[in-house]
Amino acid sequence: MQYPINAIFQTLQGEGVYVGVPSIFIRLQGCPVGCQWCDTKYTWNKLSHKEISWESIPLKISNNNSWGLADTTEILDTITNLGWTAKHVVITGGEPCLYDLRPLSIALQATGLTCQIETSGTHAILCSMETWVTVSPKIKKNKNHSLLHQALKRADEIKHPVGRQRDIDALVNCIKTITDEKKRIILLQPINHITSAIQLCIKTCIQKNWRLSIQTHKYINIP
Ligand code: SF4
């Protein structure tokens, strides 16, 4: 199984439950979902003329739409050869669940790394049982890319981007559809650090005992 990879780098996880945890990010290329708030639009299209060698991907210094193919062994070898010390891997995108992530997540965990996926929940989630799944639900109805119940059920963490009250209302309705007993951590994440959205998230988190997620990497200027 080969994966189209836009970027691989070591940093700190900037948001969500794992905020502050040293992490290796694997950013996959390709996403048909089209979220308004997307801050990685350069990952949307997998253009054949933008393919570069896998060896060039860890050397990228700017965000752009070039990508390279790598299989699980090549990814693991790169992590080892670069001497990265983080023990947590975040597979993100793009929409990583366009791809079968079972081989990659199982291989990463076999080396002692923990694994997390960040997804919109619009595609079936295929990963190891132990992978931590963060769903930022794409709730807006879109006949091609709406939220899958399977993704919501698999979620360990539901991290919802919030601009206005209607985003919270939509999340509440969405959560009502889950009927199992699994404990999921729910976080509200203000879109673009807009003051009114931050205030709304703080108020709602306190009311509902949810958590606030701030994109800390944007404040401290790390990738
Ligand atoms: S799913 Fe992720 S990459 Fe795709 S449009 Fe939404 S935020 Fe952007």
Side-chain angles (χ1 to χ4, degrees), residues 2 54-55 69-79 81:
Q2 286 191 303
W54 162 242
E55 290 73 21
L69 275 179
D71 61 24
T72 297
T73 306
E74 289 171 310
I75 295 168
L76 290 176
D77 286 349
T78 296
I79 292 172
N81 294 339

Side-chain angles (χ1 to χ4, degrees), residues 168 172 188 203-211:
I168 293 170
V172 169
L188 301 182
K203 187 181 90 178
T204 310
C205 285
I206 292 171
Q207 276 173 355
K208 294 187 175 294
N209 264 301
W210 291 347
R211 295 192 197 178

Side-chain angles (χ1 to χ4, degrees), residues 3-11 24-27 52-64 66-71 73-84 223:
Y3 299 94
I5 299 179
N6 175 281
I8 182 168
F9 53 93
Q10 180 175 242
T11 184
I24 296 162
F25 274 71
I26 301 174
R27 187 180 299 292
I52 60 176
S53 71
W54 162 242
E55 290 73 21
S56 311
I57 297 296
L59 307 176
K60 280 176 73 171
I61 52 170
S62 62
N63 295 331
N64 60 48
S66 61
W67 56 277
L69 275 179
D71 61 24
T73 306
E74 289 171 310
I75 295 168
L76 290 176
D77 286 349
T78 296
I79 292 172
T80 304
N81 294 339
L82 289 171
W84 284 337

Side-chain angles (χ1 to χ4, degrees), residues 31 33-35 37-38 40 43-44 93-95 120:
C31 181
V33 180
C35 303
W37 65 82
C38 182
T40 55
T43 63
W44 286 9
E95 175 41 74
S120 63

Side-chain angles (χ1 to χ4, degrees), residues 2-3 13 17 36 53 55 67 72-73 76 100 105 107 119 122 132 141 143 145-146 170 179 186 195 200-201 222:
Q2 286 191 303
Y3 299 94
Q13 170 60 288
V17 169
Q36 249 184 329
S53 71
E55 290 73 21
W67 56 277
T72 297
T73 306
L76 290 176
D100 182 349
S105 54
T119 174
T122 55
W132 182 266
K141 289 282 177 230
K143 68 178 181 337
H145 306 294
S146 53
T179 52
I186 299 173
T195 305
L200 178 60
C201 288
I222 58 171

Side-chain angles (χ1 to χ4, degrees), residues 85-184:
T85 48
K87 300 293 178 213
H88 186 66
V89 178
V90 182
I91 305 173
T92 186
E95 175 41 74
C97 294
L98 289 178
Y99 310 101
D100 182 349
L101 300 173
R102 287 172 294 193
L104 181 56
S105 54
I106 289 168
L108 288 166
Q109 285 165 341
T111 69
L113 298 165
T114 56
C115 201
Q116 175 183 8
I117 292 173
E118 295 180 330
T119 174
S120 63
T122 55
H123 293 73
I125 298 171
L126 301 174
C127 63
S128 71
M129 296 275 291
E130 298 78 16
T131 297
W132 182 266
V133 174
T134 302
V135 173
S136 289
K138 175 74 176 169
I139 296 176
K140 220 180 213 177
K141 289 282 177 230
N142 170 327
K143 68 178 181 337
N144 296 320
H145 306 294
S146 53
L147 179 64
L148 298 183
H149 195 63
Q150 182 263 359
L152 207 51
K153 284 189 72 173
R154 179 60 183 82
D156 300 294
E157 168 183 356
I158 298 174
K159 185 181 61 174
H160 192 50
V162 172
R164 307 174 199 188
Q165 180 62 44
R166 69 179 182 207
D167 299 324
I168 293 170
D169 297 342
L171 176 64
V172 169
N173 287 333
C174 172
I175 291 170
K176 277 185 196 156
T177 66
I178 312 174
T179 52
D180 62 30
E181 297 296 314
K182 179 175 172 178
K183 294 258 182 271
R184 296 174 183 83

